[in-house]
Amino acid sequence: EIRSLQEDLQESRQEAEKAQKQADKYQKRMNELAPMVKNMEKLAADLGRIKAVVGSGQVNAVINLAKQQEQIEAEQKRAARRKHNREAR
């Protein structure tokens, strides 16, 4: 009976130690991400300011235009790589 309790206690200690290591790992990751989150909050506030001055519709239109341009450029790069790969064969 005592041996069983000692084994249970040892197992519980190991589980607690494992849980503490996991918690420490998550805490470290949260500390690493905190500056990034703060920066993103500042960027979101700045975007809100721009929308207030310029207008939400115009800002969204510019963002969509930029996304479309990025897609076009990415497709052009993919097409150029495909062409280069075909020529290399």
Side-chain angles (χ1 to χ4, degrees):
E1 179 70 26
I2 291 177
R3 180 177 286 286
S4 175
L5 290 174
Q6 288 174 333
E7 289 172 356
D8 288 348
L9 179 60
Q10 181 64 25
E11 188 176 310
S12 294
R13 284 181 179 154
Q14 289 173 346
E15 288 177 13
E17 191 175 303
K18 185 178 176 181
Q20 185 61 51
K21 285 180 182 179
Q22 191 74 9
D24 291 344
K25 178 179 152 185
Y26 287 129
Q27 184 64 49
K28 180 181 176 189
R29 185 67 177 140
M30 284 176 39
N31 291 341
E32 290 170 355
L33 294 174
M36 187 185 320
V37 169
K38 191 166 281 237
N39 189 43
M40 293 175 87
E41 289 171 343
K42 288 178 183 178
L43 290 172
D46 287 346
L47 180 60
R49 289 180 186 101
I50 292 168
K51 284 184 174 186
V53 173
V54 176
S56 192
Q58 267 192 297
V59 171
N60 290 336
V62 169
I63 290 170
N64 289 333
L65 186 63
K67 287 179 180 180
Q68 289 173 357
Q69 185 62 37
E70 289 169 2
Q71 288 176 339
I72 290 168
E73 290 170 4
E75 181 55 38
Q76 288 172 343
K77 286 180 183 178
R78 282 192 295 271
R81 279 195 305 267
R82 285 192 302 263
K83 182 180 178 187
H84 176 73
N85 289 340
R86 281 194 301 267
E87 291 172 355
R89 292 181 194 166

